[in-house]
């Protein structure tokens, strides 16, 4: 890793990602914090105070005792534990067990040691200092990844993604803000883990837009909240609470409720198989080919007429036509006036006169039935 040098007096504006409560779909509850996909609905003052206190709380890497508990829960054997019989399998230790043993080799840093290493990394670009900051917090990644084990069964995959977030956190860490690296890294680690879970929840990616990601993590929780309050969790109420559209709520609920299905899978089985697949019964939402051909032909005719009209212009009228009427990114009237040394109002009058001529030309060429919006207000 490389990092540009900076003076110790320079103060950085780096911040950890903002947070909201999230949970995984279905039974995979995640009682943790994660990066948001959109702002949460407003809370009362007491809830906001509780959330702020939780956000400000420090996050600590896992101790040896905590690692022992994690290993016992995931079924790996802590180092030094005697075995009842020799192992005869080809693979004597599982990869997660080997990784846990490696993590234990790197001791925790004191606050002073961490600060000194971070300063060396930020000011001198010392890659060895950055490496020590990463390795000393590998325990933190294991601890956080373990919180998500119900959402994604392969813990080692979550750890690997969390390690990427840890590296990003070290790159952006500012030792002069008085925040522990483990606390700052926690947000980045969770962000990368949650992104991985979202992208790998199904074979087909289940959420791509910001609102879809918010619904993925909060839809089931919002349904439970409404039920506990004795309110029917309709799509309209859920959409209002999460600040998304009702259609997006319905679509995400359908995605979470239904399993992945192959479009090439046959509709029938056995002797009754007629060769039809799900693809054959999906409605084609594209436009009618006749409408598309008609629209393309009209656009070609219109462009030809505009080129003919533009050939009759010169001077300021040609500039208005080229830079205002047919431009992909039209300039403003103020910019046009500044170019000519006249007021914005005078530029508007010149444009209006030219637009009237263009409208008369198109009506004569295409007929009164064709209505085309011309001109700009800015």
């Amino acid at each position: 890793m490389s990092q540009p040098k900076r003076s110790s007096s320079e103060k950085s504006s780096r911040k950890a990602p903002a947070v909201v409560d999230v949970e995984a779909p279905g039974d995979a509850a995640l009682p943790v914090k994660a990066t948001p996909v959109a702002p949460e609905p407003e809370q009362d003052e007491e809830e906001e105070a509780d959330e702020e206190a939780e956000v400000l709380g420090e996050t600590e890497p896992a101790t040896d005792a905590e690692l022992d508990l994690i290993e016992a829960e995931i079924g790996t054997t802590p180092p030094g534990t005697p075995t009842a019989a020799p192992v005869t399998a080809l693979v004597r230790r599982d990869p997660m067990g080997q990784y846990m043993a490696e993590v234990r080799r790197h001791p925790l840093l004191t606050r002073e040691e961490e600060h000194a290493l971070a300063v060396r990394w930020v000011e001198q670009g010392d890659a060895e200092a950055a490496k020590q900051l990463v390795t000393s917090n590998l325990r933190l990644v294991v601890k956080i990844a373990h919180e998500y084990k119900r959402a994604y069964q392969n813990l080692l995959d979550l750890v690997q993604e969390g390690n990427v977030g840890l590296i990003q956190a070290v790159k952006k860490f500012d030792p002069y803000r008085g925040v522990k690296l483990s606390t700052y890294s926690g947000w980045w680690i969770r962000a990368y883990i949650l992104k991985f879970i979202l992208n790998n929840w199904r074979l087909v990616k289940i959420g791509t837009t910001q609102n879809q990601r918010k619904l993925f993590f909060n839809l089931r929780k919002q349904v439970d909240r409404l039920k506990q309050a004795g309110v029917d969790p309709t799509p309209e109420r859920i959409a209002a609470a999460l600040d998304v559209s009702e259609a997006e709520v319905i679509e995400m609920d359908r995605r979470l409720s239904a399993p992945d299905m192959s479009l090439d899978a046959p509709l029938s089985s056995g002797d009754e198989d007629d060769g039809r697949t799900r693809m054959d019964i999906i409605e084609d939402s594209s436009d009618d080919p006749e409408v598309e051909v008609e629209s393309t032909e009209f656009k070609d005719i219109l462009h030809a007429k505009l080129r003919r009209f533009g050939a009759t212009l010169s001077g300021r009228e040609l500039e208005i036509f080229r830079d205002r009427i047919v431009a992909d990114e039209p300039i403003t009237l103020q910019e046009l006036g500044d170019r000519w040394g006249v007021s914005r109002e005078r530029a508007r009058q010149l444009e209006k006169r030219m637009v009237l001529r263009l409208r008369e030309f198109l009506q004569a060429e295409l007929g009164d039935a064709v209505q085309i919006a011309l001109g700009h207000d800015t």
Side-chain angles (χ1 to χ4, degrees), residues 181-360:
L181 175 60
S182 58
T183 300
Y184 177 75
S185 301
W187 311 120
W188 287 94
I189 295 168
R190 287 189 171 94
Y192 273 79
I193 290 176
L194 286 171
K195 180 181 178 182
F196 175 81
I197 293 173
L198 177 62
N199 292 340
N200 293 274
W201 184 260
R202 295 276 177 81
L203 182 63
V204 179
K205 187 177 293 187
I206 200 169
T208 55
T209 67
Q210 187 180 41
N211 285 345
Q212 286 174 352
R213 292 193 294 269
K214 180 198 290 191
L215 286 168
F216 175 82
F217 289 114
N218 294 281
L219 177 59
R220 293 290 180 255
K221 181 171 66 175
Q222 189 61 41
V223 170
D224 293 339
R225 283 179 177 174
L226 292 174
K227 287 182 177 179
Q228 291 174 4
V231 179
D232 184 20
T234 62
E236 182 180 2
R237 291 192 176 100
I238 296 173
L242 298 179
D243 193 25
V244 297
S245 68
E246 186 174 347
E248 288 174 316
V249 173
I250 296 173
E251 174 67 15
M252 182 54 66
D253 182 63
R254 184 185 65 80
R255 292 186 184 187
L256 294 175
S257 302
D260 292 332
M261 295 184 297
S262 172
L263 294 178
D264 295 324
L267 292 174
S268 55
S269 59
D271 298 335
E272 300 179 357
D273 186 7
D274 55 4
R276 292 192 304 160
T277 65
R278 289 192 178 93
M279 180 67 77
D280 298 326
I281 62 174
I282 294 179
E283 180 182 359
D284 187 1
S285 58
S286 60
D287 294 334
D288 189 328
E290 293 183 2
V291 175
E292 291 185 358
V293 172
E294 179 181 349
S295 175
T296 301
E297 289 182 351
F298 175 76
K299 289 179 180 178
D300 292 340
I301 294 173
L302 178 60
H303 290 162
K305 299 298 182 182
L306 290 174
R307 285 194 296 269
R308 281 183 54 193
F309 179 79
T312 65
L313 302 176
S314 62
R316 291 181 176 180
E317 288 186 337
L318 179 59
E319 291 186 49
I320 294 173
F321 179 78
R322 183 187 61 220
D323 299 335
R324 288 277 296 169
I325 304 301
V326 298
D328 293 332
E329 297 182 2
I331 64 176
T332 65
L333 288 172
Q334 186 63 53
E335 292 173 325
L336 207 56
D338 293 342
R339 178 190 299 178
W340 297 336
V342 299
S343 65
R344 179 185 180 280
E345 177 59 23
R346 178 55 181 165
R348 188 193 66 79
Q349 293 173 357
L350 293 172
E351 180 187 60
K352 181 178 180 181
R353 185 173 63 185
M354 194 277 297
V355 167
L356 289 176
R357 285 184 52 196
L358 175 58
R359 183 174 284 112
E360 292 174 358

Side-chain angles (χ1 to χ4, degrees), residues 66-82:
E66 289 176 318
L67 290 179
D68 289 343
L69 292 176
I70 293 175
E71 287 187 300
E73 186 170 341
I74 64 178
T76 60
T77 303
T81 303

Side-chain angles (χ1 to χ4, degrees), residues 57-58 85 93 112 122 126 132 135 141 144 152 192 194 207 212 278 287 291 323 350 370:
E58 291 188 349
R93 299 180 65 184
E112 293 73 19
V122 171
D126 189 340
Q132 285 186 256
T135 55
V141 178
I144 294 177
Y152 195 86
Y192 273 79
L194 286 171
Q212 286 174 352
R278 289 192 178 93
D287 294 334
V291 175
D323 299 335
L350 293 172
V370 178

